């Protein structure tokens, strides 16, 4: 297999010579192959490596070309790994959106475009797979313009060769045809009459789009009067608008012939902004207080963020780090801070806040799995740091004398629960350390133990498969999937009476306690109450508290199925004591026995948790989502247009958690990948009798 030659170590002359670009797009769009073409072109080799779009983490390669240091990052295409994509967007200053001419724009790509638009990130669109049998460049371009909005205009149009392969690109600004038929080398010729239709269709819109972004108010008048505007004037305004994130060029690229790659490389170097032009994330002191103003200055305070971590069998712990301010040196200690707990309502195991000073290992430039040692990295660079074993993805790296914290990027919600159980005792022993390491690498993974189970919360089936594969292959931990236990509650539905009798005699002091209890329901949300109406000292005063303590303890353990009891009023009405054998423990035990004696399907009911679910989808799928919510025993609360998202609506419904176990998977099918949802606990409601019988038939949960 031919590979790209490893380049010399890239060292930027300053922040202005750095470009950080992330490639985003769906699996199958040819994104990873484009990444390799670009790396090969920038590194001076036209031989790309055979690749795949099935990567699940950020790939990164830094190369230097004509004084410009470019770090390209290839983000995963599967929607389960959108957290990695957002990490790439955090590390980059510009984005290439890769769209297949055969498939068009998918829902995930549209959502990411909207996120970039909110922060004003510079973007360009690359249309690939021009040679596919069902490719349609014109339709794909129209799809991009419809979904990505104004400012999306093509710089070139593909021209089919004699056998159908795209070997030529019509450059709309220069009025030229660029031929790539000979192994990727570009030959330039003037456009002929046969190309007139393409120029007539697209050149006017491109020029008008550039002029609209120009600071020269008279440029449009000159154009409308028929003046042929100079190329250098148009190019200057084009490059300025691209860097500002207000104009988004579309470039056709053929992986088969290399057509368009050279133009794309040139655009990255001359149009995309350097780190000094891209807004930095919010930074504040670890101890709290007002945000700290930082700039992309190598002499400023050190502020960097871990955007990806992985374990290498030979090099150990590797951290991909974006430096926002200051200079990161391998011979100086750094402060590592992680505080996901401050921004996430639920973080699970392995994501607790931490602060410590550590000394990094080597600092180098990434080259798609290789490390090019360089000793230090300056503001604006993306580097790899070894031996930051305590650093987790999203952690901040700063100066020990001035610890700072970067607000992390928006983490995707892990909404697919899967309960797992170790296969052997050895697997059980290895599980805690394995889960801690996996959580440190992956902030999207949430691990909980709330119901006596280990529950993995992932973003989708591909994410789950990755976690289980890493458990097996990296940590030698085998687990099996088991049914997820949804945390229920129990509550009384009728008044019940029972006697609890705890009498034992085995020589010496015995145990003696008799209590008569009544349990009755309270309004939902009241909580549990304990009362006593004992007269005549049947239960001595010092043991009434023992009865109360025993009652509350048993209510917490559950009476019917092992779930906590809520909204119960327990009253001690009578009892008996012995002057010698009665004790605190005896009365606690008697109270528990009385409560358990009362429990039956006639006196107790199960309460299931209900979530408020908000689903945002394209309007055409709203009806299907509403129907599905109803089949899940959901109560539709209403719908409204999604804020800032034309053609999309948000449905709000109350749905039992039992019906949401597979919703992360089902929604993708129902909404054809256009949906997203959030959920939060809103309360508890009585489980229907049929389901309650099924639940009770399975025995107690613990």
């Amino acid at each position: 297999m031919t590979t790209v030659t490893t380049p010399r170590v890239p060292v930027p002359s300053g922040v202005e010579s750095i470009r950080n670009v992330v490639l985003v797009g769906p699996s199958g769009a040819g994104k990873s192959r484009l990444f390799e073409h670009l790396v090969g072109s920038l590194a001076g080799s036209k031989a790309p490596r055979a690749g795949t779009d099935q990567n699940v983490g950020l790939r990164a390669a830094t190369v230097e070309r004509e004084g410009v240091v470019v770090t390209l990052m290839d983000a995963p295409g599967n929607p389960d790994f959108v957290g990695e994509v957002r990490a790439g967007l955090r590390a980059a200053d510009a984005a290439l959106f890769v769209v297949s001419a055969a498939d068009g724009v998918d829902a995930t790509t549209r959502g990411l475009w909207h996120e970039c638009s909110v922060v004003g990130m510079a973007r360009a669109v690359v249309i690939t797979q021009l040679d596919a049998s069902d490719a349609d460049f014109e339709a794909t371009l129209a799809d991009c313009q419809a979904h990505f909005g104004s400012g999306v205009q093509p710089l070139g149009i593909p021209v089919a060769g004699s056998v159908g392969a795209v070997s030529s690109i019509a450059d709309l600004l220069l009025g030229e045809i660029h031929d790539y038929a000979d192994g990727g080398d570009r030959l330039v010729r003037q456009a002929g009459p046969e190309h007139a239709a393409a120029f007539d269709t697209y050149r006017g819109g491109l020029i008008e789009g550039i002029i609209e972004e120009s600071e020269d108010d008279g440029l449009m008048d000159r154009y409308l009067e028929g003046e042929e505007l100079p190329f250098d004037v148009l190019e200057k305004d084009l490059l300025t608008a691209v860097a500002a994130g207000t104009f988004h060029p579309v470039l056709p690229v053929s992986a088969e012939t290399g057509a368009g790659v050279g133009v794309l490389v040139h655009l990255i170097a001359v149009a995309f902004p350097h780190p000094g032009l891209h807004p930095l994330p919010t930074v504040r002191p670890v101890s709290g207080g007002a945000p700290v103003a930082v700039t992309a200055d190598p002499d400023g305070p050190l502020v960097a963020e871990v955007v990806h971590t992985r374990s290498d069998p030979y090099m150990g712990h590797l951290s991909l780090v974006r430096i926002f301010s200051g200079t990161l040196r391998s011979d100086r200690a750094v402060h590592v801070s992680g505080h996901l707990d401050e921004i996430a309502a639920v973080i699970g195991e392995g994501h607790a806040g931490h602060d410590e000073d550590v000394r990094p290992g080597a600092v180098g430039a990434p080259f798609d799995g290789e490390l090019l040692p360089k000793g230090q990295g300056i503001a604006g660079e993306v580097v790899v740091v070894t031996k930051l074993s305590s650093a987790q993805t999203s952690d901040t790296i700063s100066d020990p004398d001035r610890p700072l914290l970067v607000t992390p990027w928006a983490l995707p919600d892990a909404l697919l629960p899967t309960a797992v159980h170790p296969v052997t005792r050895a697997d059980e022993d290895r599980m805690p350390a394995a889960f801690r390491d996996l959580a440190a690498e992956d902030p999207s993974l949430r691990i909980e133990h709330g119901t006596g189970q280990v529950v993995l919360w992932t973003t989708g089936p591909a994410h789950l498969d990755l976690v289980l594969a890493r458990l097996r292959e990296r940590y030698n931990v085998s687990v099996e999937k088991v049914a997820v236990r949804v945390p229920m509650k129990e509550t009384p539905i009728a008044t019940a009476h029972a006697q609890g009798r705890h009498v034992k005699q085995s020589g010496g002091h015995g145990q003696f306690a008799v209590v008569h209890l009544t349990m009755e329901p309270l309004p939902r949300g009241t909580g549990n109450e304990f009362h006593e109406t004992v007269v005549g000292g049947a239960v001595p005063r010092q043991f009434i508290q023992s009865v109360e303590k025993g009652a509350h303890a048993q209510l917490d353990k559950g009476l019917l199925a092992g779930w906590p009891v809520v909204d119960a009023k327990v009253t001690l009405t009578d009892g008996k004591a012995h002057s010698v054998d009665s004790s605190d423990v005896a009365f606690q035990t008697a109270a528990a026995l009385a409560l358990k004696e009362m429990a039956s399907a006639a006196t107790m009911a199960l309460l299931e948790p209900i979530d408020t679910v908000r689903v945002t989808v394209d309007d055409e799928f709203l009806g299907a989502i509403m129907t599905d919510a109803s089949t899940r025993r959901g109560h539709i609360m209403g719908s409204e247009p999604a804020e800032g998202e034309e053609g999309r609506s948000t449905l709000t419904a109350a749905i039992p958690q039992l019906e949401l176990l597979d919703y992360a998977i089902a929604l993708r099918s129902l909404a054809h990948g256009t949906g997203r949802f959030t959920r939060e606990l809103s309360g508890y409601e009585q489980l229907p009798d049929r389901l309650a019988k099924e639940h009770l038939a399975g025995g107690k949960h613990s």
Side-chain angles (χ1 to χ4, degrees), residues 163-488:
V163 294
V166 173
S167 59
S168 302
I169 304 291
D171 189 304
L172 296 178
L173 273 185
L174 291 172
E176 300 173 342
I177 304 299
H178 297 170
D179 294 323
Y180 296 84
D182 186 17
D185 292 326
R186 183 175 64 171
L187 299 176
V188 179
R189 59 186 169 93
Q190 289 300 309
E194 68 273 20
H195 304 118
F199 284 94
D200 290 344
T201 301
Y202 296 107
R203 191 170 191 269
L206 170 62
I207 293 176
E208 290 175 12
I210 295 172
I211 292 174
E212 287 177 2
E213 300 299 331
S214 175
E215 296 179 357
D216 185 347
D217 296 334
L219 208 57
M220 181 63 79
D221 293 336
R222 292 166 57 188
Y223 174 71
L224 294 176
E225 290 170 0
E227 180 181 341
E228 186 69 26
L229 300 177
F231 170 76
D232 57 347
V233 172
L234 292 174
E235 184 186 42
K236 177 178 177 294
D237 287 334
L238 168 67
L239 299 182
T240 301
V242 171
T246 57
F247 185 85
H248 314 294
V250 180
L251 299 96
V253 171
S254 171
E256 299 298 323
T257 64
V261 172
V263 174
L264 180 54
V265 168
H266 179 70
L267 181 82
I268 290 171
V270 302
F272 279 167
H274 62 75
L277 298 176
H278 186 64
L280 299 184
T282 302
V283 179
R284 63 173 179 79
V286 170
S287 57
V292 177
V294 295
T295 59
D297 180 2
D299 296 323
L302 176 61
V303 180
E305 188 172 22
V306 179
V307 294
H308 180 70
T309 59
R310 69 182 180 90
S311 296
D312 185 274
Y314 303 104
M315 302 182 67
H317 195 87
L318 300 175
S319 301
L320 188 67
V321 175
R322 166 64 193 263
I323 307 172
F324 296 111
S325 172
T327 299
L328 176 61
R329 296 179 172 86
S330 59
D331 59 352
R332 294 189 183 179
V334 297
H335 185 82
V336 177
S337 297
H339 290 278
L340 285 179
D341 52 325
E342 296 184 8
I343 65 164
V346 181
I347 61 170
E349 178 184 307
H351 299 307
H354 56 275
D355 287 276
E356 56 188 311
D357 295 343
V358 298
R359 183 174 291 278
V363 175
F367 192 71
D368 198 15
E370 299 180 47
L371 176 65
L372 309 179
K374 54 190 292 183
Q376 70 175 37
I378 66 169
E381 284 194 276
V382 176
V383 298
V384 174
V385 184
T386 66
K387 297 184 179 179
L388 287 179
S389 57
S390 63
Q392 302 183 9
T393 301
S394 80
D395 279 3
T396 301
I397 298 173
S398 59
D399 192 308
D401 295 330
R402 191 183 183 188
L404 298 171
L405 190 65
V406 176
T407 300
W409 58 88
L411 300 174
D413 292 325
L415 295 169
L416 178 65
T418 305
V420 295
H421 188 273
V423 174
T424 68
R425 180 60 184 270
D427 293 321
E428 183 177 7
D429 292 340
R430 289 190 290 263
M431 274 176 57
F435 282 140
R436 281 195 300 271
D437 287 351
L438 288 175
E441 289 185 19
D442 185 358
S444 300
L445 172 64
R446 196 168 86 236
I447 305 166
E448 294 183 346
H449 295 79
T451 59
Q453 291 182 308
V454 177
V455 179
L456 306 179
W457 288 83
T458 57
T459 56
H463 188 198
L464 174 63
D465 289 345
L466 175 67
V467 171
L468 297 181
R470 285 178 173 171
L471 272 176
R472 237 181 1 257
E473 297 163 7
R474 191 186 297 177
Y475 301 101
N476 193 27
V477 174
S478 295
V479 297
E480 56 186 1
K481 300 177 187 177
V482 295
V484 176
R485 299 185 191 123
V486 172
M488 304 279 185

Side-chain angles (χ1 to χ4, degrees), residues 53-120:
D53 269 349
Q54 300 305 313
N55 60 302
V56 296
L58 278 177
R59 299 170 65 192
T62 300
V63 290
E64 184 175 358
R65 183 75 176 271
E66 298 178 357
V68 177
V69 173
V70 179
T71 296
L72 291 170
M73 288 164 283
D74 178 21
N78 191 301
D80 280 9
F81 304 109
V82 69
E84 292 279 352
V85 181
R86 289 174 178 166
L89 292 171
R90 170 59 65 89
D93 302 301
L96 290 176
F97 279 74
V98 182
V99 179
S100 167
D103 300 320
V105 182
D106 74 325
T108 302
T109 302
R110 285 158 44 194
L112 291 169
W113 183 276
H114 177 71
E115 291 182 25
C116 290
S117 178
V118 170
V119 298

Side-chain angles (χ1 to χ4, degrees), residues 490 496 498 519 558-561 594-604:
E490 303 175 15
M519 182 171 63
L559 304 179
L560 198 62
L595 288 174
K596 287 190 284 187
E597 182 69 22
M598 297 182 203
S600 71
T603 60
M604 302 289 296

Side-chain angles (χ1 to χ4, degrees), residues 469-533:
R470 285 178 173 171
L471 272 176
R472 237 181 1 257
E473 297 163 7
R474 191 186 297 177
Y475 301 101
N476 193 27
V477 174
S478 295
V479 297
E480 56 186 1
K481 300 177 187 177
V482 295
V484 176
R485 299 185 191 123
V486 172
M488 304 279 185
K489 293 186 184 298
E490 303 175 15
T491 195
I493 55 174
T495 301
H497 311 273
Q499 172 186 278
R501 179 181 175 85
H502 183 60
V503 178
K504 287 187 177 181
Q505 188 68 46
S506 57
H509 284 302
Q511 298 180 50
F512 185 95
V514 178
V515 298
H516 294 262
L517 298 182
T518 297
M519 182 171 63
E520 51 194 313
L522 290 173
R524 187 83 70 245
T526 303
N528 293 331
E529 297 180 1
F530 178 84
H531 300 267
E532 60 89 9
T533 59

